[in-house]
C-alpha cells in the first residue's frame, strides 16, 4: 500500500493536471449547460491539452470522463444531454486523470447561479469535513482517526454521512487498498505509514444517510430526496502530515 518517492512524484503530476481541469470548470458559467456538455469539454481537455486519459472512461464499463451528480444525487451520476444545470442547483463533478500510468482522483461541488442558503451550508460543511479528515492524516495515525474527524464535523452541523461508499487507495489502479471510511473511532483501524496514497471523499446528506441506486445501475440518490454533497482529494501520507496531490489553485493550504 505504500508508494516509492518516484511513484508519488508521478501521482503528483497527474494530480496537478487534474487540478487544472477543475480550474477550467471554475471559469465557466454552468447555468444552461447540460452535464454531457461538461463531460465532453473535460474529456477533450484531458486528452488533447494534457495528453492524458480520463481514467473513469472504460472502468467497469463506464462510458464517460466524469460523474455529474446534481442536488439529491449522492454519487456516480451519469452525464446526459437532457440533464440541464439550472439556477439554484448544486452539482458534484468527479473526475479522474491518468498520466504516465498513474491515476489522480478528485471531485468538487459547484454552486450554479444563485443557490439557497441551506444548500450553500451543506456544501461548505462537506468541504470542511473533507479537510478535517485530511488534517488527521500523518504517520502513526489511524484510518479511524480520519473517519472520526469527518463524522464528528458532519454531526456537529446536523448532517448525516453516507456509509455505502468510501475513499480508496490509488496508484496504477483506480481502486487499491486501503478502504477509507468516512466515519470511525479514534485510534482504531489501519495505522498510516509514510508513502501511502489514498482518496478522502466524504458524502454528506441534508437529511438521512440512506441511499438507493437508480435503474441505470450507476446513479446513487438519497432515499428521502434531500440534497447531498461531496468533495474529494487524493492524499499522500508524508513525513510531517498529509500532502494533497490534487490541490487546486483556489485552495491556499
Amino acid at each position: 500500500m505504500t508508494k516509492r518517492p518516484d511513484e508519488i512524484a508521478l501521482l503528483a503530476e497527474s494530480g496537478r493536471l487534474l487540478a487544472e481541469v477543475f480550474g477550467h470548470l471554475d471559469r465557466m458559467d454552468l447555468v444552461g449547460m447540460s452535464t454531457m456538455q461538461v463531460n465532453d469539454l473535460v474529456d477533450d481537455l484531458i486528452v488533447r491539452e494534457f495528453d492524458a486519459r480520463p481514467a473513469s472512461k472504460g472502468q467497469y464499463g463506464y462510458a464517460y470522463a466524469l460523474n455529474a451528480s446534481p442536488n439529491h444525487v449522492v454519487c456516480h451520476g451519469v452525464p446526459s444531454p437532457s440533464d440541464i444545470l439550472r439556477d439554484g442547483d448544486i452539482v458534484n463533478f468527479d473526475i479522474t486523470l491518468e498520466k504516465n500510468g498513474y491515476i489522480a482522483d478528485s471531485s468538487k461541488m459547484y454552486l450554479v447561479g444563485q443557490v439557497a442558503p441551506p444548500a450553500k451550508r451543506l456544501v461548505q460543511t462537506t468541504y470542511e469535513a473533507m479537510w478535517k479528515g485530511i488534517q488527521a492524516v500523518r504517520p502513526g495515525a489511524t484510518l479511524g482517526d480520519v473517519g472520526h474527524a469527518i463524522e464528528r464535523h458532519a454531526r456537529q452541523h446536523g448532517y448525516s454521512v453516507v456509509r455505502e461508499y468510501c475513499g480508496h487507495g490509488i496508484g496504477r489502479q483506480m481502486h487499491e487498498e486501503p478502504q477509507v471510511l468516512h466515519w470511525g473511532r479514534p485510534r482504531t483501524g489501519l495505522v498510516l505509514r509514510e508513502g501511502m496514497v489514498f482518496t478522502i471523499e466524504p458524502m454528506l446528506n441534508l437529511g438521512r444517510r440512506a441511499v438507493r441506486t437508480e435503474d441505470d445501475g450507476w446513479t446513487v440518490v438519497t432515499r428521502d430526496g434531500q440534497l447531498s454533497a461531496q468533495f474529494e482529494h487524493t492524499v499522500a501520507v508524508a513525513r510531517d502530515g498529509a500532502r494533497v496531490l490534487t490541490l487546486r489553485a483556489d485552495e491556499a493550504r
Side-chain angles (χ1 to χ4, degrees):
M1 285 185 285
T2 59
K3 305 291 190 291
R4 302 185 308 270
D6 61 306
E7 292 180 297
I8 292 176
L10 290 168
L11 283 161
E13 174 60 10
S14 296
R16 183 186 69 81
L17 295 176
L18 183 50
E20 289 194 28
V21 173
F22 283 103
H24 280 261
L25 294 181
D26 292 346
R27 295 188 288 273
M28 294 174 55
D29 181 3
L30 297 173
V31 176
M33 291 189 69
S34 74
T35 54
M36 185 63 79
Q37 285 177 303
V38 179
N39 173 82
D40 292 347
L41 182 148
V42 167
D43 195 332
D44 188 71
L45 184 65
I46 291 173
V47 173
R48 294 181 182 274
E49 183 158 340
F50 297 143
D51 191 27
R53 184 180 75 85
S56 64
K57 199 171 182 179
Q59 179 91 352
Y60 311 124
Y62 191 71
Y64 305 102
L66 56 73
N67 291 117
S69 302
N71 299 322
H72 73 296
V73 180
V74 176
C75 61
H76 302 164
V78 179
S80 167
S82 62
D83 193 357
I84 307 299
L85 297 171
R86 305 190 186 283
D87 187 74
D89 285 344
I90 61 173
V91 61
N92 177 274
F93 293 123
D94 189 345
I95 308 171
T96 57
L97 182 150
E98 179 185 343
K99 180 78 172 180
N100 300 316
Y102 287 85
I103 300 170
D105 190 358
S106 186
S107 81
K108 180 179 179 178
M109 295 298 299
Y110 285 85
L111 307 179
V112 183
Q114 298 299 312
V115 174
K120 284 184 177 180
R121 286 195 293 271
L122 172 65
V123 169
Q124 179 61 31
T125 302
T126 306
Y127 183 70
E128 292 167 357
M130 176 191 66
W131 276 103
K132 292 291 184 182
I134 291 171
Q135 289 160 359
V137 171
R138 65 184 186 280
T142 69
L143 286 179
D145 296 333
V146 174
H148 176 73
I150 292 167
E151 185 180 37
R152 180 176 58 188
H153 190 74
R155 286 188 170 183
Q156 284 173 345
H157 290 81
Y159 302 120
S160 58
V161 178
V162 173
R163 294 196 171 198
E164 285 80 356
Y165 302 93
C166 62
H168 51 86
I170 191 167
R172 286 190 172 274
Q173 301 296 320
M174 174 91 73
H175 296 117
E176 301 178 354
E177 291 297 328
Q179 292 190 338
V180 182
L181 305 182
H182 301 120
W183 73 96
R185 291 184 293 114
R187 298 178 296 282
T188 65
L190 183 72
V191 177
L192 302 183
R193 303 189 303 273
E194 185 177 354
M196 287 180 172
V197 180
F198 47 78
T199 69
I200 295 176
E201 47 183 297
M203 299 158 222
L204 272 56
N205 291 349
L206 188 62
R208 297 183 177 182
R209 68 176 179 85
V211 302
R212 64 177 177 85
T213 303
E214 295 195 328
D215 291 342
D216 63 7
W218 289 104
T219 306
V220 178
V221 299
T222 56
R223 281 192 175 272
D224 60 12
Q226 295 205 59
L227 296 175
S228 185
Q230 179 188 20
F231 281 90
E232 175 183 14
H233 270 313
T234 297
V235 175
V237 182
R239 184 174 303 173
D240 57 351
R243 178 186 176 189
V244 180
L245 303 182
T246 47
L247 194 71
R248 300 183 295 270
D250 62 316
E251 298 176 295
R253 294 179 184 268

